[in-house]
Amino acid sequence: MGETRRMQYDDVVRGRRSIRGYKPDPVPRELIEEILELAMRAPSSMNSQPWNFTVLTGEPLDRIRAGNTERNLAGVPHSREFRTGQPFAGPHRERQITVAKQLFSAMGIARDDQAKRQDWVLRGFRQFDAPVCIIITYDRALSDSDDTPFDCGAVTNALVNAAWSRGLGAVINSQGIMQSPVVREHAGIADDQVIMKAIALGWPDDEFPANAVVSERKPVHEAARFVGFDG
């Protein structure tokens, strides 16, 4: 099991990366509760706190992995509950392709190796074989609120950073909830909840090549406009 460590905020934000390969070691429930308590200090619109978490490990998680895999191999259409929008295009698509190339290169997956490419995709539906998966849901009564997904994004960001600060790795994962009937059944998620995201969580496997991949960030001058400042 990895050792719990504490880091400065800047070290957490700059050092954190998505972890896609995990050791099989269990994660103590007490540590997960500590991480969730810290993450839930995230801001939310008018303190609505719309988020809820279902934390899975062991046999229930294995049943979700198996169900996701079976349905995808059988060609069952995806049934993600939170809207997906249109496929990325332009610079957003370019960034998606860039990180995919980084990951495939690290894992030695050739462009024409369909078997390895499919296995890589299925890893996402298996929650990256992590020992823990956290399903993030929000109250269905808030489905028409545009603030709700924004708030859930804030708590998700806080969660993965809190995990990293304690030596755990995580990756925010949409594939793991795209077969929502499987997730809802085996996680026992109530009908008054909308399934939004999954987070794979565990101790990073430092021998897993993709874990060394650090995705690029666009510079501040490209993302930000400053109005009313001198110079």
Side-chain angles (χ1 to χ4, degrees), residues 119-159:
D119 182 68
W120 180 257
V121 170
L122 289 176
R123 285 185 63 83
F125 290 103
R126 298 198 310 265
Q127 318 290 1
F128 292 93
D129 300 325
V132 174
C133 176
I134 301 176
I135 306 295
I136 297 177
T137 66
Y138 59 86
D139 300 334
R140 194 175 297 277
L142 299 174
S143 292
D144 293 333
S145 167
D146 289 335
D147 287 324
T148 294
F150 185 91
D151 296 340
C152 288
V155 80
T156 301
N157 178 69
L159 197 163

Side-chain angles (χ1 to χ4, degrees), residues 73-99:
L73 290 176
V76 177
H78 295 165
S79 52
R80 176 174 163 178
E81 296 183 3
F82 182 70
R83 58 187 180 273
T84 58
Q86 298 300 314
F88 292 153
H92 309 102
R93 175 61 175 165
E94 291 172 10
R95 295 187 191 110
Q96 180 186 20
I97 291 173
T98 296
V99 74

Side-chain angles (χ1 to χ4, degrees), residues 26-67:
V27 181
R29 173 174 172 168
E30 294 78 11
L31 180 56
I32 300 173
E33 290 177 347
E34 178 182 322
I35 288 167
L36 289 174
E37 190 278 331
L38 184 60
M40 287 192 292
R41 296 302 306 169
S44 62
S45 176
M46 294 170 284
N47 198 34
S48 57
Q49 302 180 58
W51 49 69
N52 291 293
F53 310 94
T54 300
V55 186
L56 296 154
T57 194
E59 185 180 350
L61 179 53
D62 287 339
R63 288 199 294 268
I64 290 175
R65 295 191 225 273

